Amino acid sequence: MMVDQQEEQNKVLSEEARNGISKASNDFLFQYIVEKQDGSFGHLLDAGTGSHSLRWIASLFQNRMITQYTAITADEQMRQTVLTESRTLQIEEYGQVLIGNWFETKNTATEKEDSSRNVLCNGQIYDTIIADYLIGA
């Protein structure tokens, strides 16, 4: 994104969105991650997404530290919240918000793995994986 386009985007972001991005980018954990990353995050996987981490992802776009993102949650209501937030933050077009679980499902009738279901993110390649909420939970 060109500098003029980024400046224009910042002008149309609501004050609430700008404040949320600022708060997330000042989060100690996220600051530590940025410090240790020392460069671009490339295609980032947020393996337990929420509004706070999505706001941080938006700050990475503002600082040109990310090319795209995939945000995953196991909860449909959270997915809807994050989708709405991605529109508010104007980053919806740069990524996707998925619902899923990291564990393969089993058919309870036979207790065998259900091979008819796709494995979450099967075949996808990510440059960076953030699992702060997933590990913390």
Side-chain angles (χ1 to χ4, degrees), residues 3-19:
V3 175
D4 293 336
Q5 290 173 322
Q6 185 64 49
E7 288 173 4
E8 188 64 31
Q9 178 183 357
N10 288 338
K11 289 178 187 175
V12 293
L13 279 175
S14 70
E15 184 176 342
E16 181 181 349
R18 287 192 305 270
N19 290 340

Side-chain angles (χ1 to χ4, degrees), residues 38-50:
D38 192 32
S40 175
F41 286 83
H43 185 182
L44 182 137
L45 171 64
D46 182 358
T49 196

Side-chain angles (χ1 to χ4, degrees), residues 56-71:
W56 173 67
I57 289 170
S59 77
L60 296 177
F61 278 110
Q62 286 185 339
N63 293 313
R64 297 182 183 85
M65 298 179 73
I66 185 172
T67 57
Q68 59 183 325
Y69 70 94
T70 300

Side-chain angles (χ1 to χ4, degrees), residues 13-51:
L13 279 175
S14 70
E15 184 176 342
E16 181 181 349
R18 287 192 305 270
N19 290 340
I21 291 170
S22 177
K23 182 178 178 184
S25 66
N26 289 320
D27 180 283
F28 178 76
L29 176 61
F30 291 144
Q31 284 181 336
Y32 182 79
I33 292 169
V34 168
E35 179 185 314
K36 294 301 177 187
Q37 181 68 14
D38 192 32
S40 175
F41 286 83
H43 185 182
L44 182 137
L45 171 64
D46 182 358
T49 196
S51 293

Side-chain angles (χ1 to χ4, degrees), residues 36-132:
K36 294 301 177 187
Q37 181 68 14
D38 192 32
S40 175
F41 286 83
H43 185 182
L44 182 137
L45 171 64
D46 182 358
T49 196
S51 293
H52 190 61
S53 63
L54 195 72
R55 291 174 188 142
W56 173 67
I57 289 170
S59 77
L60 296 177
F61 278 110
Q62 286 185 339
N63 293 313
R64 297 182 183 85
M65 298 179 73
I66 185 172
T67 57
Q68 59 183 325
Y69 70 94
T70 300
I72 299 179
T73 181
D75 180 69
E76 178 59 30
Q77 185 174 356
M78 179 56 74
R79 185 178 81 84
Q80 291 300 323
T81 298
V82 171
L83 278 171
T84 300
E85 187 80 19
S86 71
R87 291 179 195 113
T88 300
L89 298 169
Q90 301 174 4
I91 62 170
E92 179 182 28
E93 66 185 89
Y94 304 112
Q96 59 182 337
V97 181
L98 306 176
I99 187 165
N101 196 317
W102 294 105
F103 301 103
E104 290 188 57
T105 61
K106 292 187 178 185
N107 183 328
T108 54
T110 64
E111 288 302 310
K112 293 182 181 177
E113 288 186 9
D114 184 358
S115 61
S116 66
R117 294 195 48 138
N118 290 332
V119 177
L120 189 61
C121 298
N122 188 26
Q124 297 296 312
I125 298 174
Y126 300 96
D127 300 302
T128 309
I129 299 172
I130 301 296
D132 62 307

